[in-house]
Amino acid sequence: MKISGVIRVLIILAAVGLFVFLGYSYIDSDELRLGSNHLFNMLWSHEGASRGMLFAIQLPLLFALVFGVFWMQKLLSYFQQGQFFSSRTMSCYLWLIWIKIASFIYKFLQPLIIQHYHSILEQQQALHLVGHFPLELELSFDNITTLLLMLVIAYLLKAAKDIEAENKAFI
């Protein structure tokens, strides 16, 4: 329970630090450092591309970060209160899984969206971007194993909750 409180504080500090870094890099360097796509960075610095559109392409990842921190805080709050197997805890954990799945899918699709936006801009006007921009799809073994592990943990938590309910009914 005490560890949950410490981790809650660390997550908030990390999230605030990340937002300060993003804000500072935008104000100081005029860069949006929410992803590592080279084509995105070149389009961001090109005057012919719409920064509003590029920001909209990055917005789902920002939402995933904010909602992920929110649900993690809520989950750890329940853990801090000693509610490890409650339906509220399971709900928070399922929200975290769905956010992770949506983020995983969007990170895979985002380069396709950026590439499509680039091709539309190229048809409308010659951008003359320097360099070659191959399509890079992010499919990380780490992310896949993390998702699978989260699903296994969700199953184990549900099984533990069912056993706890069965034990209470037996007593």
Side-chain angles (χ1 to χ4, degrees), residues 75-135:
L75 177 68
L76 290 171
S77 167
Y78 292 135
F79 285 173
Q80 198 172 6
Q81 297 168 17
Q83 299 178 27
F84 298 103
F85 304 114
S86 71
S87 59
R88 292 187 227 163
T89 322
M90 191 63 173
S91 175
C92 292
Y93 194 74
L94 289 175
W95 269 106
L96 284 170
I97 291 173
W98 283 114
I99 290 168
K100 183 72 174 169
I101 290 171
S103 176
F104 176 77
I105 292 170
Y106 190 75
K107 282 181 183 178
F108 185 76
L109 294 175
Q110 186 187 35
L112 295 169
I113 296 168
I114 293 170
Q115 194 79 23
H116 180 69
Y117 179 62
H118 175 252
S119 65
I120 289 172
L121 285 177
E122 277 290 329
Q123 290 173 0
Q124 293 174 352
Q125 60 183 339
L127 292 179
H128 305 294
L129 294 178
V130 177
H132 178 66
F133 306 103
L135 183 60

Side-chain angles (χ1 to χ4, degrees), residues 140-160:
S140 170
F141 181 72
D142 293 344
N143 286 335
I144 293 170
T145 55
T146 300
L147 280 173
L148 292 174
L149 182 64
M150 288 177 80
L151 290 171
V152 168
I153 291 172
Y155 172 76
L156 292 174
L157 286 174
K158 185 178 181 321

